[in-house]
Coordinates of all heavy atoms in Angstrom, one line a residue:
L25 N 7.5 10.4 -7.9 CA 7.3 10.1 -6.5 C 8.4 9.1 -6.0 O 8.6 8.0 -6.5 CB 5.9 9.4 -6.3 CG 5.3 9.4 -5.0 CD1 5.0 10.8 -4.5 CD2 3.9 8.6 -5.1
K26 N 9.1 9.5 -4.9 CA 10.2 8.6 -4.4 C 9.8 8.0 -3.0 O 10.2 6.9 -2.7 CB 11.5 9.5 -4.2 CG 12.2 9.7 -5.5 CD 13.5 10.4 -5.3 CE 14.5 9.4 -5.0 NZ 15.9 9.9 -5.0
E27 N 9.0 8.7 -2.3 CA 8.6 8.3 -0.9 C 7.1 8.5 -0.7 O 6.6 9.6 -1.1 CB 9.4 9.0 0.1 CG 9.6 8.3 1.4 CD 10.6 8.9 2.3 OE1 11.8 9.0 1.9 OE2 10.3 9.3 3.4
L28 N 6.4 7.6 -0.1 CA 5.0 7.7 0.1 C 4.7 7.3 1.5 O 4.9 6.2 1.9 CB 4.3 6.9 -0.9 CG 2.8 7.1 -1.1 CD1 2.4 8.5 -1.4 CD2 2.2 6.2 -2.2
D29 N 4.1 8.2 2.3 CA 3.7 7.9 3.7 C 2.2 7.8 3.7 O 1.5 8.8 3.6 CB 4.2 9.1 4.6 CG 3.9 8.8 6.1 OD1 3.2 7.7 6.3 OD2 4.3 9.5 6.9
L30 N 1.7 6.6 3.8 CA 0.3 6.3 3.9 C -0.2 6.1 5.3 O -1.3 5.6 5.5 CB -0.1 5.1 3.0 CG 0.3 5.2 1.5 CD1 -0.1 3.9 0.8 CD2 -0.4 6.4 0.9
S31 N 0.6 6.5 6.3 CA 0.3 6.2 7.7 C -0.9 7.1 8.1 O -1.5 6.8 9.1 CB 1.5 6.5 8.6 OG 1.9 7.9 8.5
V32 N -1.2 8.1 7.4 CA -2.4 9.0 7.7 C -3.7 8.5 7.1 O -4.7 8.9 7.4 CB -2.1 10.5 7.3 CG1 -1.0 11.0 8.1 CG2 -1.9 10.6 5.9
F33 N -3.5 7.5 6.2 CA -4.7 6.9 5.5 C -5.2 5.7 6.3 O -4.4 4.9 6.7 CB -4.4 6.5 4.1 CG -4.1 7.7 3.2 CD1 -2.8 8.1 3.0 CD2 -5.2 8.4 2.6 CE1 -2.6 9.2 2.1 CE2 -4.9 9.5 1.8 CZ -3.6 9.9 1.5
T34 N -6.5 5.6 6.4 CA -7.1 4.3 6.9 C -7.6 3.6 5.6 O -8.0 4.1 4.7 CB -8.3 4.6 7.9 OG1 -8.8 3.3 8.2 CG2 -9.3 5.4 7.3
T35 N -7.4 2.2 5.6 CA -7.7 1.5 4.4 C -8.9 0.6 4.7 O -9.2 -0.3 3.9 CB -6.5 0.6 4.0 OG1 -6.2 -0.3 5.1 CG2 -5.3 1.4 3.6
E36 N -9.7 0.9 5.7 CA -10.9 0.1 6.0 C -11.9 0.0 4.8 O -12.5 -1.0 4.6 CB -11.6 0.6 7.2 CG -10.8 0.5 8.5 CD -11.4 1.4 9.6 OE1 -12.4 2.1 9.4 OE2 -10.9 1.3 10.7
N37 N -12.0 1.1 4.1 CA -13.0 1.1 3.0 C -12.4 0.9 1.6 O -13.1 1.1 0.6 CB -13.7 2.5 3.0 CG -14.5 2.7 4.3 OD1 -15.1 1.8 4.8 ND2 -14.4 3.9 4.9
V38 N -11.1 0.6 1.6 CA -10.5 0.3 0.3 C -10.9 -1.1 -0.1 O -10.7 -2.1 0.6 CB -8.9 0.3 0.4 CG1 -8.3 -0.1 -1.0 CG2 -8.5 1.7 0.7
D39 N -11.6 -1.2 -1.3 CA -12.1 -2.5 -1.7 C -11.1 -3.3 -2.6 O -11.2 -4.5 -2.8 CB -13.5 -2.5 -2.3 CG -13.5 -1.5 -3.5 OD1 -12.5 -0.9 -3.8 OD2 -14.6 -1.5 -4.2
N40 N -10.2 -2.5 -3.2 CA -9.1 -3.2 -4.0 C -7.9 -2.4 -4.2 O -8.0 -1.1 -4.1 CB -9.7 -3.8 -5.3 CG -9.7 -2.8 -6.4 OD1 -8.7 -2.4 -6.9 ND2 -10.9 -2.3 -6.7
Y41 N -6.8 -3.0 -4.4 CA -5.5 -2.4 -4.5 C -4.9 -2.6 -5.8 O -3.7 -2.3 -6.0 CB -4.5 -2.9 -3.4 CG -4.9 -2.6 -2.0 CD1 -5.6 -3.5 -1.2 CD2 -4.6 -1.4 -1.4 CE1 -5.9 -3.2 0.1 CE2 -4.9 -1.1 -0.1 CZ -5.6 -2.0 0.6 OH -5.9 -1.7 1.9
W42 N -5.6 -3.1 -6.8 CA -5.0 -3.4 -8.1 C -4.2 -2.2 -8.7 O -4.7 -1.1 -8.8 CB -6.1 -3.8 -9.1 CG -6.6 -5.2 -8.9 CD1 -7.8 -5.5 -8.3 CD2 -6.0 -6.4 -9.2 NE1 -7.9 -6.9 -8.2 CE2 -6.8 -7.5 -8.8 CE3 -4.8 -6.7 -9.9 CZ2 -6.5 -8.8 -9.0 CZ3 -4.5 -8.1 -10.0 CH2 -5.3 -9.1 -9.6
Y43 N -3.0 -2.5 -9.0 CA -2.1 -1.6 -9.6 C -2.0 -0.2 -9.0 O -1.8 0.8 -9.7 CB -2.5 -1.4 -11.1 CG -2.4 -2.8 -11.8 CD1 -3.6 -3.4 -12.2 CD2 -1.2 -3.4 -12.1 CE1 -3.6 -4.7 -12.8 CE2 -1.2 -4.6 -12.8 CZ -2.3 -5.2 -13.1 OH -2.3 -6.5 -13.7
M44 N -2.1 -0.1 -7.7 CA -2.2 1.1 -7.0 C -1.0 2.0 -7.2 O -1.1 3.3 -7.4 CB -2.3 0.9 -5.5 CG -2.5 2.2 -4.7 SD -2.9 1.8 -2.9 CE -4.6 1.8 -3.0
F45 N 0.2 1.5 -7.4 CA 1.4 2.3 -7.6 C 2.0 2.0 -8.9 O 3.2 2.4 -9.2 CB 2.4 2.0 -6.5 CG 1.9 2.1 -5.1 CD1 1.7 1.0 -4.3 CD2 1.5 3.3 -4.6 CE1 1.1 1.1 -3.1 CE2 1.0 3.5 -3.3 CZ 0.8 2.3 -2.5
R46 N 1.3 1.5 -9.9 CA 1.8 1.1 -11.2 C 2.4 2.4 -11.8 O 1.9 3.4 -11.9 CB 0.7 0.6 -12.1 CG 1.2 0.4 -13.5 CD 0.0 0.1 -14.4 NE 0.1 -1.2 -14.8 CZ -0.9 -1.9 -15.5 NH1 -2.0 -1.3 -15.7 NH2 -0.7 -3.1 -15.8
G47 N 3.6 2.2 -12.3 CA 4.3 3.3 -13.1 C 5.0 4.3 -12.2 O 5.6 5.2 -12.7
C48 N 5.0 4.1 -10.9 CA 5.7 5.0 -9.9 C 7.2 4.5 -9.9 O 7.6 3.9 -8.9 CB 5.1 4.9 -8.5 SG 3.4 5.7 -8.5
E49 N 7.8 4.7 -11.0 CA 9.1 4.0 -11.3 C 10.2 4.4 -10.3 O 11.2 3.7 -10.1 CB 9.5 4.2 -12.7 CG 8.6 3.5 -13.7 CD 8.6 4.1 -15.1 OE1 9.3 5.1 -15.3 OE2 7.9 3.6 -15.9
K50 N 10.1 5.6 -9.7 CA 11.1 6.1 -8.8 C 10.8 5.8 -7.4 O 11.6 6.2 -6.5 CB 11.3 7.6 -9.1 CG 11.8 7.9 -10.5 CD 12.6 9.2 -10.6 CE 13.0 9.6 -11.9 NZ 13.2 8.7 -12.9
L51 N 9.7 5.2 -7.1 CA 9.3 5.0 -5.7 C 10.2 4.0 -5.0 O 10.5 2.9 -5.5 CB 7.8 4.4 -5.7 CG 7.1 4.3 -4.4 CD1 7.0 5.7 -3.7 CD2 5.7 3.7 -4.6
E52 N 10.8 4.5 -3.9 CA 11.7 3.7 -3.1 C 11.2 3.2 -1.8 O 11.6 2.2 -1.3 CB 13.0 4.5 -2.9 CG 13.8 4.9 -4.1 CD 15.0 5.8 -3.9 OE1 15.3 6.0 -2.7 OE2 15.6 6.2 -4.8
K53 N 10.3 4.0 -1.2 CA 9.9 3.8 0.2 C 8.4 4.0 0.4 O 7.9 5.0 -0.1 CB 10.7 4.6 1.2 CG 10.3 4.4 2.6 CD 11.2 5.3 3.5 CE 10.9 5.1 5.0 NZ 11.7 6.0 5.8
I54 N 7.7 3.0 1.0 CA 6.3 3.2 1.3 C 6.0 2.9 2.7 O 6.5 1.8 3.2 CB 5.4 2.2 0.4 CG1 5.7 2.4 -1.1 CG2 3.9 2.4 0.7 CD1 5.0 1.4 -2.0
N55 N 5.3 3.7 3.4 CA 4.9 3.5 4.8 C 3.4 3.1 4.8 O 2.6 3.9 4.5 CB 5.1 4.8 5.6 CG 4.8 4.6 7.1 OD1 4.1 3.6 7.4 ND2 5.3 5.4 7.9
F56 N 3.2 1.8 5.1 CA 1.8 1.3 5.2 C 1.4 1.0 6.6 O 0.7 0.1 6.9 CB 1.8 -0.1 4.5 CG 1.7 -0.1 3.0 CD1 2.6 -0.8 2.3 CD2 0.6 0.5 2.4 CE1 2.5 -0.8 0.9 CE2 0.5 0.5 1.0 CZ 1.5 -0.2 0.3
S57 N 1.8 1.9 7.6 CA 1.6 1.6 9.0 C 0.2 1.4 9.4 O -0.1 1.0 10.5 CB 2.4 2.5 9.9 OG 2.0 3.8 9.6
K58 N -0.8 1.8 8.6 CA -2.2 1.6 8.9 C -3.0 0.7 7.9 O -4.2 0.8 7.8 CB -2.9 2.9 9.1 CG -2.5 3.7 10.3 CD -3.5 4.7 10.6 CE -3.1 5.4 11.9 NZ -3.2 6.9 11.9
I59 N -2.3 -0.2 7.3 CA -2.9 -1.0 6.3 C -3.8 -2.1 6.9 O -3.5 -2.5 8.1 CB -1.9 -1.6 5.3 CG1 -2.6 -2.0 4.0 CG2 -1.2 -2.8 5.9 CD1 -1.7 -2.1 2.8
D60 N -4.8 -2.6 6.2 CA -5.7 -3.5 6.8 C -5.0 -4.9 7.1 O -4.0 -5.2 6.5 CB -6.9 -3.8 5.9 CG -6.5 -4.3 4.5 OD1 -6.2 -3.5 3.7 OD2 -6.5 -5.5 4.4
V61 N -5.6 -5.6 8.0 CA -4.9 -6.9 8.5 C -4.7 -7.9 7.3 O -3.7 -8.5 7.3 CB -5.8 -7.5 9.6 CG1 -5.3 -8.9 10.0 CG2 -5.9 -6.6 10.8
E62 N -5.7 -8.0 6.5 CA -5.6 -9.0 5.4 C -4.5 -8.7 4.4 O -3.6 -9.6 4.1 CB -6.9 -9.1 4.6 CG -7.0 -10.2 3.6 CD -7.1 -11.6 4.1 OE1 -7.1 -11.8 5.4 OE2 -7.2 -12.5 3.3
T63 N -4.4 -7.5 4.0 CA -3.3 -7.1 3.1 C -2.0 -7.1 3.8 O -1.0 -7.5 3.1 CB -3.6 -5.6 2.5 OG1 -4.9 -5.6 2.0 CG2 -2.6 -5.3 1.4
K64 N -1.9 -6.8 5.0 CA -0.7 -6.9 5.8 C -0.2 -8.3 5.8 O 1.0 -8.6 5.6 CB -0.9 -6.4 7.2 CG 0.3 -6.6 8.1 CD 0.0 -6.3 9.6 CE 1.2 -6.6 10.5 NZ 0.9 -6.4 11.9
K65 N -1.1 -9.2 6.0 CA -0.8 -10.7 6.0 C -0.1 -11.1 4.7 O 1.0 -11.8 4.7 CB -2.0 -11.5 6.3 CG -1.8 -13.0 6.2 CD -3.0 -13.8 6.5 CE -3.7 -14.2 5.3 NZ -4.9 -15.0 5.5
Y66 N -0.6 -10.7 3.6 CA -0.1 -11.0 2.3 C 1.3 -10.3 2.1 O 2.2 -10.9 1.5 CB -1.1 -10.7 1.2 CG -2.2 -11.7 1.0 CD1 -3.2 -11.7 1.9 CD2 -2.1 -12.7 0.1 CE1 -4.2 -12.7 1.8 CE2 -3.1 -13.6 -0.1 CZ -4.2 -13.6 0.8 OH -5.1 -14.6 0.7
L67 N 1.4 -9.1 2.5 CA 2.6 -8.3 2.3 C 3.7 -9.0 3.1 O 4.9 -9.1 2.7 CB 2.5 -6.9 2.7 CG 1.9 -6.0 1.6 CD1 1.5 -4.6 2.1 CD2 2.8 -5.8 0.4
I68 N 3.4 -9.4 4.4 CA 4.4 -10.0 5.2 C 4.9 -11.3 4.6 O 6.1 -11.6 4.6 CB 3.8 -10.2 6.7 CG1 3.8 -8.9 7.4 CG2 4.7 -11.2 7.4 CD1 3.1 -9.0 8.7
Y69 N 3.9 -12.1 4.1 CA 4.3 -13.3 3.5 C 5.2 -13.1 2.3 O 6.3 -13.7 2.1 CB 3.0 -14.1 3.0 CG 3.4 -15.3 2.1 CD1 3.8 -16.5 2.7 CD2 3.4 -15.2 0.7 CE1 4.2 -17.5 1.9 CE2 3.8 -16.3 0.0 CZ 4.2 -17.5 0.6 OH 4.6 -18.5 -0.2

């Protein structure tokens, strides 16, 4: 996996993100345009 577009997913019901992309060693780009406010805050920081 090199690119992942999660813009079609809603994350309202995701209760945890632990190791979500672990081992995706070729991943270069992730689109989180609909991620929840709390996780967005941490990612921005």
Side-chain angles (χ1 to χ4, degrees):
L25 200 62
K26 285 185 87 171
E27 202 168 304
L28 192 55
D29 184 356
L30 299 178
S31 62
V32 295
F33 291 96
T34 178
T35 58
E36 293 165 358
N37 298 320
V38 176
D39 58 354
N40 81 72
Y41 293 96
W42 283 102
Y43 301 106
M44 185 171 270
F45 308 108
R46 172 189 251 169
C48 294
E49 293 157 1
K50 300 207 181 332
L51 191 61
E52 296 177 7
K53 180 178 180 181
I54 304 174
N55 183 340
F56 279 125
S57 58
K58 288 202 175 136
I59 201 156
D60 62 275
V61 174
E62 186 73 358
T63 307
K64 175 188 171 184
K65 177 177 94 174
Y66 282 77
L67 279 168
I68 287 173
Y69 172 79

